[in-house]
């Protein structure tokens, strides 16, 4: 619970920094946060790409550092025990880096990497992944990515497939 509270406090601090930098004259202040993104997420978690998967949903909050790099915090709830498990089954903190842009930046390929906390199994994992994003407008985009996670415990590697609707501010 302390970790979630800490993550939320960091998110609020970054949001305040974003509001503060917009209130300043652009010529006299450096911007700490370039953009803020909120995205509802649909998730499939499984042992392998073709193995059995568990459906999940969640929210992803991202803070753009510049045009290429952003830092994200995502919380997921999975359909375990008929949706009767905890509200947040996993928390993921990751960095996302855009590495290829096409068609006037309307299509973007990106890589991601970070740490995941499984609150049900009380375990940690590290993950890396690749994704694609289709920018529908300046503030709305659709994205999908695939991440493979390796646990620090004896749990096997597992994959996470996500679909996102990004709304940027």
């Amino acid at each position: 619970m302390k970790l979630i509270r800490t993550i939320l406090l960091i998110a609020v601090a970054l949001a305040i920094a974003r509001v503060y930098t917009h209130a300043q004259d652009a010529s006299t202040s450096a911007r700490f946060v370039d953009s803020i993104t909120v995205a509802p997420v649909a998730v499939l978690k499984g042992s392998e790409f073709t193995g059995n998967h568990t459906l999940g949903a969640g929210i992803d909050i991202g803070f753009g550092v510049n045009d290429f790099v952003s830092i994200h915090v995502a919380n997921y709830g999975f359909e375990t025990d008929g949706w009767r498990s905890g509200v947040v089954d996993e928390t993921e903190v990751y960095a996302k880096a855009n590495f290829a842009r096409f068609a006037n930046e309307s299509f973007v390929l990106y890589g991601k990497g970070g740490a995941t906390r499984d609150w049900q199994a009380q375990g940690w994992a590290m993950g890396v992944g690749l994704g694609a994003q289709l920018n529908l407008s300046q503030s709305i985009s659709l994205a999908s990515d695939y991440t493979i996670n390796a646990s620090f415990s004896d749990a096997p590697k597992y994959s996470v497939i996500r679909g996102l609707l990004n709304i940027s501010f």
Side-chain angles (χ1 to χ4, degrees):
M1 191 67 178
K2 288 182 182 181
L3 179 64
I4 292 174
R5 187 177 333 139
T6 303
I7 291 170
L8 288 175
L9 287 173
I10 291 169
V12 168
L14 289 173
I16 291 170
R18 167 86 170 149
V19 170
Y20 178 74
T21 57
H22 274 291
Q24 299 292 318
D25 181 20
S27 64
T28 62
S29 69
R31 290 171 58 172
F32 178 68
V33 176
D34 193 46
S35 64
I36 296 175
T37 304
V38 177
V41 182
V43 185
L44 287 176
K45 177 182 172 181
S47 58
E48 295 292 332
F49 188 73
T50 59
N52 293 331
H53 284 76
T54 303
L55 178 65
I59 189 157
D60 185 305
I61 300 172
F63 301 95
V65 178
N66 57 36
D67 286 342
F68 301 98
V69 177
S70 58
I71 298 169
H72 295 255
V73 176
N75 288 304
Y76 312 123
F78 291 101
E79 183 193 8
T80 52
D81 299 326
W83 294 100
R84 290 187 193 100
S85 63
V87 174
V88 176
D89 292 323
E90 282 190 9
T91 299
E92 179 181 20
V93 177
Y94 66 94
K96 174 180 147 184
N98 300 334
F99 60 83
R101 296 180 177 190
F102 303 99
N104 294 327
E105 299 187 14
S106 64
F107 184 71
V108 179
L109 296 177
Y110 62 87
K112 62 179 276 209
T116 302
R117 172 68 173 173
D118 186 336
W119 298 105
Q120 301 301 315
Q122 299 297 314
W124 290 90
M126 297 295 287
V128 294
L130 295 172
Q133 178 174 310
L134 178 63
N135 297 324
L136 303 175
S137 70
Q138 188 175 4
S139 59
I140 297 175
S141 63
L142 295 172
S144 180
D145 56 43
Y146 174 80
T147 305
I148 185 119
N149 289 312
S151 298
F152 289 114
S153 63
D154 292 335
K157 290 184 275 184
Y158 63 93
S159 62
V160 176
I161 303 168
R162 305 184 318 154
L164 302 92
L165 172 64
N166 295 315
I167 302 167
S168 299
F169 302 99

